[in-house]
Amino acid sequence: MYPRFNRACSTYNTQLMPVRLESEGDIALVIIDNPPVNALTAGIPEALADSVAKAAGDSAIGAIVVMGAGRTFIAGADIAELEQAAWDTNASLPEMHDVLRTIEDAPKPVIMALHGTALGGGLEVAMAGHYRIATADARLGQPEVNLGIIPGA
C-alpha cells in the first residue's frame, strides 16, 4: 500500500468500492479489484472516474496508470446487471460517456496496463487512455456486436 492516497481515498480501499488509488513516487496507480473478472458493476465506473480525477488534480503526480488486479484488466459490463436492465424499466446502467471523458480529458498521461481480457466496456475504458501497454497474451474485443449491440452506445 502506498501512503499518498490512503486518507483521501479511503472509501475506495474497502470491499464496498473495489477501486484503489495508490501511488509509487510520482505515478498514481488506479487499481480495479472486482473479482472474478473486474466487471464494471454499479459504482465501479464512477469510482474509476473519481480516482483518475483525484490523481490528475494532485500536483505531485506526473502520470496515471489504470490496471486490473488479478487475472484480467476489465472484462466489460456485469451481464447480470445488463439482464436486469433489459427486463426492469426502473433499472439503470452506468453512464460510461462521462467516465471515458474524464479519462480522455485528464491533463496528465493516462496509461492503461492491459492483461488478461479487455472486453466490451473494458476495451472502451482502455481506448479512453492516452497510451496502452499490453501483455503478449492479452485479449481485446467487443463481443456485444454478436448480440446486435453497438459498442459505446
Side-chain angles (χ1 to χ4, degrees), residues 3-57:
R4 172 179 298 284
F5 296 111
N6 285 350
R7 280 186 303 237
C9 299
S10 61
T11 57
Y12 298 145
N13 294 327
T14 69
Q15 292 201 8
L16 297 176
M17 192 63 71
V19 175
R20 294 192 312 271
L21 179 55
E22 301 176 357
S23 67
E24 185 168 336
D26 66 346
I27 306 298
L29 305 172
V30 178
I31 304 167
I32 297 113
D33 190 1
N34 187 23
V37 294
N38 295 327
L40 294 169
T41 55
I44 301 296
E46 297 83 359
L48 172 59
D50 287 348
S51 295
V52 169
K54 284 181 182 179

Side-chain angles (χ1 to χ4, degrees), residues 83-106:
E83 184 177 13
Q84 180 182 359
W87 296 104
D88 182 357
T89 57
N90 295 322
S92 64
L93 295 173
E95 176 50 60
M96 289 299 295
H97 294 105
D98 292 338
V99 174
L100 302 177
R101 191 173 301 108
T102 297
I103 296 167
E104 290 170 355
D105 293 345

Side-chain angles (χ1 to χ4, degrees), residues 61-77:
I61 294 298
I64 303 162
V65 175
V66 177
M67 59 193 293
R71 63 185 178 139
T72 191
F73 178 67
I74 299 171

